[in-house]
Each structure stands twice: as structure tokens, then as C-alpha cells.
Amino acid sequence: MIEVENLVKRYGDHLAVDHLSFHVEPGKIYGFLGPNGAGKSTTMNIMTGYIAATEGTVKINGHDIIKDAEEAKKCIGYLPEIPPLYQDMTVREYLHFVAELKKIPKSERETQLREIMDLTMITDMEGRLIKNLSKGYKQRVGLAQAVLGYPEVIILDEPTVGLDPKQIIEIRDLIKKLGEKHTVILSSHILSEVQAVCDEIMIISKGHLVACDTPEGLTGLMNGNVQIELTILGSKEQVEEVLSGMEHLQAFSLKEGNEADCVKAVIESEAEVDIRTNLFYTLAKAKLPIMSMTRLEKSLEDVFLELTDSNKTAEEKGGVEDDSNL
Ligand code: ADP
Ligand code: MG
């Protein structure tokens, strides 16, 4: 449905998008996840025809976004990072204006407007000037303009940024609802957000696509090594001696435990071997009782950090005007 091939965007000599390729299938909610400055907005602006790419192509339902812009754009509704709202129009005036721009047939306008205002829960504010709306309502008006014309694909750039927790939940629910009838692509630098809403997550870092998978699949990516945390009754020296002699143990670190006379050990082992049984018998034989043993599950957060850390952007290192939550 959407084919992005070898997308490159240069701003002067800065490479914001670096040979990005991916495909989007209909009927799913996609999350575009990456730290600030990763190139999410740039990519979305190119996909929606707002800005031109330096190299590469974007096809929407087979229509090239540049060569066949009108047809391609008909398939997309877009909510940019800064919603294109006219502050001095009322909600209704503004949505009418958008409907006109989108060339929605006059006979359908009123019905669509009603449906979409209901869907985005802004009907009670239809007569209010946009400048007098709360941020949450403004964002919903932004969503409404993206949904007008019922495009197949709805692209939302950081749709929950700057909202309070209650508004975030409302917008997320709304996005899930949109996902029932549309293909949705949303960007975010907040991991829990994409995890909560998306079927597929694309992780982007420094203009590169570093992973694309389901939330579960991404967590699975991390199973290279398994970590086990133990509290052992004994001295550091004793524990160190026993662990050093064990097989299938990649690495371990020891520190004082919280409990008296205990050592806390974090062990990395190969994923193929479950060394817990061996740990139990070996430590028992050495008369080092195990007071607790936990296999640490790696979270999607770990995956994200691992995939994007080595690839940190200039912004993150230098710090710009962004309000990063990462
Ligand atoms: P994201 O949306 O993931 O935070 P952006 O796509 O906004 O990232 O930006 C990607 C990179 O391109 C950043 O380093 C940003 O500073 C740079 N950039 C974005 N827009 C411009 C522009 N108009 N001119 C120069 N550099 C830009
Ligand atoms: Mg952005």
C-alpha cells in the first residue's frame, strides 16, 4: 500500500534520512519510533508530499507522491507535528474549509463532518474559535482534519506530544478506533506509546531503519543473552570462585546484597542453555545457599536503547531546543 524505497534527505551536508526503505500493509497501526532528531518528521513530510526527498521514491497505492501527487495525496490524511489550524476560525468553519480543500463532494460534506466530529468528540465545540480550545481539543480538531475524506492511510506525527495523561489516553483510544478502518502510521519518541497502540514498530535512528517488527518480535530480538539475578548467602570471594569455574556463563558481576552476609550476582548466560539448574546444584555443593534467583526479562525499552544508543544523534549528544523525554 505504501512503498518507500531508498529515501534520502539532506539538509545541506546533514543527512537527516539515510537510505530508508520500508513497506506498509493495509489494516495495521504502524509506529514510527525514534529519539528526537531521528528523522521521523522529515520522513513523514516526504511521504505526504510536504517536502521533496533528495533521493528515493514514495508510492501510495502505486501512485508516486511527486509525479502523481494528486492521486497519491487523496489516499492520505496527515496530522503534522504542528497542526495546520486556523486560530480565528471556528471548528466547524475550519473543517468545512478543509473539506473544500480536499474536494469532498458538497452532498457528502455535512454528513462526513457530523460523523467525524462525533468520532473525534469535538461536536460540543463546533461553534468555538480554535484559539479558545484546550490543547487536547485542538489536537482532536487536527485529527478530524486528517480523517476528513476518509483516506485509506492516516499519518500522525507525534499526536500526543504536549497533552496531559487523560488527553493522551483519549487520543490513543481514538487512534485505535481509527485503526479499525484505516491504516495508521504514527510517530513517537515514547516507547510505551507505540507499544500500547501499534501492531508493527519501526525503529528509526539517525535516519536509518534499525528494526521493524511486532512489539513481541522486537522483545525477542534481545534474547541473545539471558540475565539471571541471584542473591547468594556467602562471601564475594567464595561466590566468585565458584562462578568462575562454571560453564556457559558469559559474564557476571557481584556486589553486596541487601540482606546480611549476602552477595548479589548478575549473570549473563548463553540463551540456548538454561543454567539455572546447574547454578542450583553447583552453589549447593559449595554450601552457598541461593536466597533468590530471577531470570530478568528484557523489555522493549532495552531493545530500543540497544538499537538506538550506538547510533545517537547529534542532538542527543549536544542538546537542542527539543523537549526529549528519553
Ligand atoms: P524527528 O522528527 O525524528 O525528531 P526530524 O525529521 O525533525 O526528526 O529531523 C531530523 C534531522 O534533520 C534533525 O537533525 C534535524 O535537526 C534536521 N532537520 C530537520 N528539518 C530541518 C531543516 N528544515 N533544515 C535543516 N535541518 C533540519
Ligand atoms: Mg519530529
Side-chain angles (χ1 to χ4, degrees), residues 148-318:
L148 263 173
Y150 296 119
E152 286 169 62
V153 190
I154 294 173
I155 300 183
L156 311 168
D157 194 358
E158 307 243 14
T160 59
V161 154
L163 302 183
D164 68 35
K166 184 168 170 278
Q167 294 167 333
I168 289 179
I169 292 170
E170 284 168 3
I171 295 284
R172 277 189 198 162
D173 288 343
L174 189 53
I175 291 170
K176 281 191 201 154
K177 219 192 284 175
L178 287 175
E180 291 166 11
K181 289 191 182 151
H182 305 262
T183 303
V184 181
I185 308 174
L186 65 97
S187 75
S188 175
H189 62 277
I190 303 159
L191 193 91
S192 54
E193 176 151 296
V194 287
Q195 197 169 10
V197 187
C198 302
D199 306 307
E200 294 275 339
I201 301 179
M202 294 189 254
I203 298 183
I204 168 169
S205 173
K206 225 178 164 184
H208 284 284
L209 190 65
V210 289
C212 178
D213 211 328
T214 58
E216 300 76 34
L218 283 177
T219 316
L221 262 186
M222 284 294 283
N223 289 340
N225 271 343
V226 171
Q227 279 194 334
I228 295 160
E229 192 180 79
L230 295 137
T231 308
I232 304 161
L233 186 60
S235 75
K236 249 184 169 173
E237 293 72 29
Q238 288 171 305
V239 173
E240 184 161 12
E241 194 186 324
V242 174
L243 293 182
S244 304
M246 278 188 70
E247 278 187 335
H248 305 299
L249 201 145
Q250 299 277 314
F252 65 88
S253 62
L254 300 176
K255 56 181 181 198
E256 297 290 323
N258 299 332
E259 294 175 61
D261 303 319
C262 282
V263 179
K264 201 167 170 184
V266 176
I267 294 175
E268 291 247 348
S269 83
E270 294 158 15
E272 305 76 48
V273 196
D274 192 342
I275 63 161
R276 283 176 296 179
T277 321
N278 201 4
L279 275 169
F280 172 81
Y281 287 119
T282 310
L283 288 164
K285 204 169 148 200
K287 299 210 165 11
L288 293 167
I290 297 174
M291 310 304 277
S292 73
M293 173 150 68
T294 318
R295 195 171 188 269
L296 301 176
E297 295 291 339
K298 291 190 177 172
S299 66
L300 198 52
E301 191 117 37
D302 298 317
V303 184
F304 178 73
L305 288 174
E306 180 159 293
L307 290 171
T308 56
D309 245 21
S310 57
N311 253 326
K312 272 199 171 176
T313 60
E315 267 93 329
E316 284 176 298
K317 285 175 181 160

